[in-house]
Amino acid sequence: ERKLPQVLTGKEVELFLEQPECTDPKGYRDRAMLELLYATGIRVSELIDLDMDNLNLPGGVLRCYSKGRERVIPLYPAAIRALSEYITDVRPQLVDSVDETALFVNMSRQGFWKLIKHYQEKAGIEKDITPHTLRHSFAAHLLENGADLRSIQEMLGHADISSTQIYSHMVKQKLKDVYQKAHPRA
């Protein structure tokens, strides 16, 4: 039996995403990266590999390529705003050449993992947050709020629906927990 993934509550996500302070280039970059990760549910390797032409901010979408397939994932307004500020005000200071195509320069998977741990500690969140925690939270929150499994599968880039069905088990478990706590005869 597969273990259910760790997911943040909506309040924990809000608290976590508020942690980067947009007072210096690092804060703007970090906010943009975290917002983009939660907005799209992409993998860290996909985040690190993004190029400028993967974003269509006026259209409010991200194009992501993984395992030979393209996915188009919508962006919510706060993510668009964070990315716009980063691209306009900060990224030009970080790139060595105007020919640089990478969206986020000088960032590795390990560096991003440290960034996540820093903001988890700063937020005082007890759960162990990894980059994949944001991916799981993205999917679980979409499902809890009425998205269908097929759409979530497509946004996550899962080849098989069975990989996505783990999130419906999480929602069922949450319902059982609510029932056990709330029903007078449970």
Side-chain angles (χ1 to χ4, degrees):
E1 186 173 313
R2 290 170 64 177
K3 184 181 167 206
L4 294 180
Q6 176 89 290
V7 173
L8 299 175
T9 66
K11 288 185 182 192
E12 288 170 332
V13 168
E14 290 298 320
L15 178 63
F16 185 70
L17 293 179
E18 289 170 0
Q19 295 313 303
E21 296 175 19
C22 293
T23 57
D24 63 3
K26 182 183 181 308
Y28 280 97
R29 181 208 61 199
D30 294 355
R31 168 88 37 99
M33 291 178 85
L34 294 176
E35 286 284 1
L36 184 60
L37 202 64
Y38 179 67
T40 61
I42 61 175
R43 298 169 185 90
V44 177
S45 56
E46 295 168 336
L47 176 77
I48 301 302
D49 290 342
L50 287 175
D51 284 330
M52 290 292 293
D53 63 358
N54 293 124
L55 279 177
N56 178 346
L57 293 181
V61 295
L62 168 77
R63 280 189 357 262
C64 183
Y65 300 93
S66 178
K67 300 178 183 179
R69 285 184 300 195
E70 178 188 57
R71 343 195 277 274
V72 178
I73 308 166
L75 300 168
Y76 54 71
I80 294 170
R81 194 167 36 258
L83 286 160
S84 295
E85 290 171 352
Y86 165 74
I87 290 167
T88 304
D89 302 331
V90 175
R91 187 179 175 280
Q93 300 170 38
L94 302 177
V95 296
D96 293 332
S97 163
V98 292
D99 297 329
E100 176 63 61
T101 60
L103 177 59
F104 299 107
V105 293
N106 300 326
M107 179 58 67
S108 66
R109 292 181 69 213
Q110 294 82 4
F112 190 75
W113 190 86
K114 289 178 184 176
L115 183 143
I116 293 268
K117 292 300 172 190
H118 168 73
Y119 290 121
Q120 172 189 344
E121 189 175 302
K122 189 175 175 194
I125 297 172
E126 296 293 319
K127 291 177 182 170
D128 183 33
I129 302 175
T130 67
H132 232 65
T133 306
L134 291 174
R135 181 172 164 85
H136 294 316
S137 299
F138 161 83
H141 295 166
L142 282 174
L143 191 60
E144 286 174 1
N145 289 298
D148 63 281
L149 270 180
R150 179 70 185 96
S151 297
I152 296 170
Q153 174 192 4
E154 191 169 319
M155 286 185 268
L156 291 175
H158 288 161
D160 191 337
I161 192 75
S162 65
S163 300
T164 315
Q165 286 174 328
I166 189 76
Y167 301 108
S168 58
H169 296 301
M170 293 171 64
V171 171
K172 287 176 189 169
Q173 184 59 49
K174 185 176 178 182
L175 284 174
K176 284 181 185 177
D177 292 345
V178 168
Y179 180 86
Q180 293 296 329
K181 289 178 186 172
H183 197 287
R185 295 189 51 113

